């Protein structure tokens, strides 16, 4: 088998690594020339994948390229390109469409094409299939078309690409069979569903489930806070129930390329069917209000110390969207930093995984990560814990910061201390 992975990012690279480990041939395709040459030079663009692992893939024949005519050399093609939202929060399928434009001239009989990017139910049939048919191919007859959602959880040490069960839906029964045969070569457990639409909807259910439940605990956090109760203590106790409860934790909002975005793919498609997805909108509203909630808590805490936010020096701890990753996409920390800047604060950040503030489409901070030391902590009017990386020295922060606004419950076990404010 020669498998082509199109889109060498957080999803595509771990998948390429797993396929390479299984002994199949892998070619990686990407439009980012720097990324292609970096990978061919043995450099990993992702913090949790070591350069040595890229080296091992290269030793097993992996190659990255920007030459899409080489997709014809592959028996199977797996698309892992971004599926963001546009400015008005409608699905932006332009990356998927441009991928299809690049590969359509090279599609040939006998190939299998799988879409893994998260998207609205119907994308594989309504967007991909016409390209296949225009190439003179018929899914289920001389070509196979499937959808199989990616379930990568960066930074989670308990699961890897191989052990995470893989849902597969086919355009036809023969497509499904071919998809199951392909993924069985490198994934332990395959879960078959009746159609590509079903498989697309499975992924959305998973992410909507998270978004709605995180929205719920974020709302409950503001209630328990008013009541003087600790939401983290309550969740930990509730979690002792051995059935019917799943723990979700509050925070400064939601981030990453999935949870803040994917639910709105369904909202958009549901409108075509005259259905309003109110739970999704409500969770989105609650979660999107969290950065403002955090800033309000900071303003109040500074006010109690006779300080204004304008002119205060604030250190944001953690700009990755979640613990122990280096991904800052849609990170609520960045929204908090934007608000602080708008209010006239002098904002700095520290993140052991993000040494320099990355280039982002909608945010621009010319900053590098500040080293967290006793002296640097003491020089800020407040530190704001936004992402609870395990590399932070929480004891030192508690000792030397003059005011801590904690959005993650990282300081809840520390002795009662008026300088820690929950947000
Ligand atoms: N990151 C995650 O944890 C995660 C988890 C599950 C699902 N997903 C889904 O997987 C998809 C990919 O996400 P990601 O996080 O890997 O994105 P990413 O931004 O890390 O990587 C995407 C890669 O695709 C490349 N690319 C863009 N357009 C291309 C094109 N036309 N042809 C070839 N390459 C192209 C980019 O240069 C980039 O290297 C998205 O639909 C996302 O929702 C992501």
């Amino acid at each position: 088998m020669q498998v082509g992975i199109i889109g060498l990012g957080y999803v595509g690279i771990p998948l390429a690594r797993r396929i390479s480990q299984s002994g199949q041939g892998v070619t990686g395709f990407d439009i980012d020339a720097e990324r292609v040459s970096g990978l061919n030079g043995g450099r990993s663009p992702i913090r949790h994948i070591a350069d040595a692992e890229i080296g091992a893939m290269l030793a097993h024949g992996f190659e990255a390229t920007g030459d899409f005519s080489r997709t014809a050399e592959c028996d199977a093609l797996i698309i892992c390109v971004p599926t963001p939202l546009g400015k008005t929060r409608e699905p932006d399928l332009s990356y998927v469409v441009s991928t299809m434009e690049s590969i359509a001239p090279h599609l040939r009989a006998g190939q299998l094409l799988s879409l893994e990017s998260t998207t609205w139910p119907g994308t594989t049939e309504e967007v991909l299939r016409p390209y296949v048919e225009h190439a003179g191919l018929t899914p289920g007859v001389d070509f196979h078309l499937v959808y199989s959602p990616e379930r990568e959880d960066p930074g989670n040490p308990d699961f890897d690409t191989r052990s995470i069960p893989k849902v597969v839906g086919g355009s036809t029964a023969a497509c499904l069979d071919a998809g199951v045969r392909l993924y069985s070569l490198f994934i332990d457990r395959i879960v078959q569903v009746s159609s590509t639409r079903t498989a697309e909807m499975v992924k959305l259910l998973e992410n909507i489930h998270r978004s709605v439940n995180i929205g719920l605990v974020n709302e409950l956090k503001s209630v328990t806070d008013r009541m003087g109760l600790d939401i983290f203590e309550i969740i930990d106790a509730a979690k002792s129930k051995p059935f019917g409860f799943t723990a979700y934790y509050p925070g400064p909002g939601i981030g990453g390329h999935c949870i803040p975005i994917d639910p709105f793919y369904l909202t958009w498609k549901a409108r075509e069917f005259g259905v309003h997805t109110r739970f999704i909108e409500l969770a989105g509203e609650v979660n999107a209000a969290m950065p403002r909630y955090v800033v309000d808590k900071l303003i109040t805490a500074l006010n109690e110390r006779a300080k204004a936010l304008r002119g205060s020096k604030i250190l944001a701890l953690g700009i990755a969207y979640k613990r122990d990753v280096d991904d800052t996409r849609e990170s609520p920390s960045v929204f908090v930093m934007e608000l602080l800047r708008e209010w006239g604060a002098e904002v700095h950040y520290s993140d052991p995984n993000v040494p320099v503030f990355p280039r982002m489409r909608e945010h621009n901070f010319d900053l590098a990560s500040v080293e967290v030391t006793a002296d640097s902590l003491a020089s800020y009017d407040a530190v704001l814990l936004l992402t609870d990386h395990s590399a932070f020295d929480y004891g030192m922060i508690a000792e030397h910061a003059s005011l801590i606004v904690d959005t993650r419950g990282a300081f809840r076990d520390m002795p009662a201390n008026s300088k820690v404010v929950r947000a």
Side-chain angles (χ1 to χ4, degrees), residues 387-422:
T387 311
D388 51 345
H389 289 307
S390 44
F392 285 133
D393 182 341
Y394 293 98
M396 179 175 68
I397 295 166
E399 197 180 332
H400 297 285
S402 56
L403 168 63
I404 298 168
V405 176
D406 177 12
T407 69
R408 298 288 184 175
F411 294 93
R412 55 175 284 231
D413 292 333
M414 302 212 168
N417 180 342
S418 65
K419 75 179 176 187
V420 177
V421 171
R422 289 185 190 131

Side-chain angles (χ1 to χ4, degrees), residues 5-14 29-33 35 45-46 65 68 79-84 94-100 102-103 115-119 147 149-154 203 207 256-258 261-262 265 321-322 327 329:
I5 304 292
I6 304 169
L8 300 169
Y10 282 92
V11 167
I13 291 176
F29 296 88
D30 207 293
I31 50 168
D32 181 340
R35 183 159 287 214
I46 299 177
T65 178
F68 286 77
I79 302 177
C80 310
V81 297
T83 43
S94 59
Y95 298 91
V96 173
V97 168
S98 76
T99 296
M100 290 311 295
S102 323
I103 67 173
L115 177 63
E116 292 211 5
S117 303
T118 309
T119 186
Y147 180 81
E150 174 50 55
R151 281 172 161 168
E152 170 81 358
D153 185 14
K203 175 71 186 180
N207 284 352
H257 185 20
C258 296
I261 291 171
D262 304 346
Y265 268 67
Y321 79 91
K322 70 171 182 178
D327 187 351
R329 290 176 295 176

Side-chain angles (χ1 to χ4, degrees), residues 21-327:
Q21 285 165 350
S22 76
Q24 314 299 323
V26 191
T27 311
F29 296 88
D30 207 293
I31 50 168
D32 181 340
E34 217 175 291
R35 183 159 287 214
V36 166
S37 64
L39 284 164
N40 287 333
R43 290 184 299 282
S44 171
I46 299 177
R47 195 186 73 92
H48 60 268
I49 298 212
D51 289 350
E53 297 189 71
I54 304 295
M57 287 163 63
L58 292 167
H60 284 102
F62 171 78
E63 190 192 344
T65 178
D67 175 3
F68 286 77
S69 70
R70 293 192 52 199
T71 52
E73 297 166 14
C74 300
D75 304 299
L77 296 168
I78 302 182
I79 302 177
C80 310
V81 297
T83 43
L85 290 173
K87 274 216 165 90
T88 49
R89 303 195 73 69
E90 81 289 7
D92 174 5
L93 277 191
S94 59
Y95 298 91
V96 173
V97 168
S98 76
T99 296
M100 290 311 295
E101 296 282 342
S102 323
I103 67 173
H106 314 292
L107 293 176
R108 59 166 175 82
Q111 281 182 318
L112 181 149
L113 177 63
S114 174
L115 177 63
E116 292 211 5
S117 303
T118 309
T119 186
W120 42 264
T123 305
T124 308
E125 298 306 320
E126 295 167 38
V127 179
L128 270 63
R129 190 180 175 119
Y131 281 98
V132 173
E133 290 174 343
H134 284 146
L137 301 161
T138 310
V141 177
D142 55 1
F143 191 88
H144 294 117
L145 182 61
V146 303
Y147 180 81
S148 178
E150 174 50 55
R151 281 172 161 168
E152 170 81 358
D153 185 14
N156 185 334
D158 300 331
F159 300 97
D160 60 14
T161 311
R162 176 182 181 168
S163 62
I164 300 171
K166 198 98 176 79
V167 172
V168 181
S171 237
T172 68
C175 294
L176 174 60
D177 282 350
V180 171
R181 277 199 306 278
L182 168 73
Y183 282 106
S184 301
L185 294 172
F186 44 86
I187 306 280
D188 289 345
R189 185 169 159 238
I190 310 298
V191 179
Q192 303 183 34
V193 294
S194 58
S195 65
T196 54
R197 276 194 176 84
T198 302
E200 287 158 340
M201 188 65 200
V202 168
K203 175 71 186 180
L204 293 184
L205 169 63
E206 291 169 8
N207 284 352
I208 290 164
H209 165 92
R210 288 190 64 75
S211 165
V212 166
N213 281 285
I214 294 169
L216 177 66
V217 286
N218 276 332
E219 183 173 87
L220 294 183
K221 168 180 79 170
S222 40
V223 179
T224 54
D225 185 67
R226 289 284 178 95
M227 293 174 163
L229 302 173
D230 177 355
I231 186 73
F232 291 96
E233 182 186 0
I234 294 161
I235 295 168
D236 283 350
K239 177 168 103 165
S240 66
K241 185 180 179 186
F243 45 83
F245 182 82
T246 303
Y248 287 87
Y249 295 92
I254 46 177
H257 185 20
C258 296
I259 316 288
I261 291 171
D262 304 346
F264 295 99
Y265 268 67
L266 186 66
T267 297
W268 178 84
K269 191 66 178 173
R271 273 190 229 124
E272 191 181 308
F273 296 84
V275 180
H276 296 284
T277 54
R278 286 182 292 161
F279 265 109
I280 295 175
E281 296 285 1
L282 185 58
E285 222 174 276
V286 172
N287 290 326
M290 280 302 121
R292 178 70 219 204
Y293 175 87
V294 171
V295 170
D296 284 349
K297 292 291 255 182
L298 172 64
I299 291 171
T300 309
L302 286 170
N303 188 55
E304 276 162 11
R305 286 157 183 77
K307 287 182 181 175
L309 181 51
R310 176 168 299 279
S312 284
K313 260 184 88 182
I314 311 294
L315 180 64
L317 294 178
I319 60 163
Y321 79 91
K322 70 171 182 178
R323 181 191 302 163
D324 296 346
V325 302
D326 59 354
D327 187 351

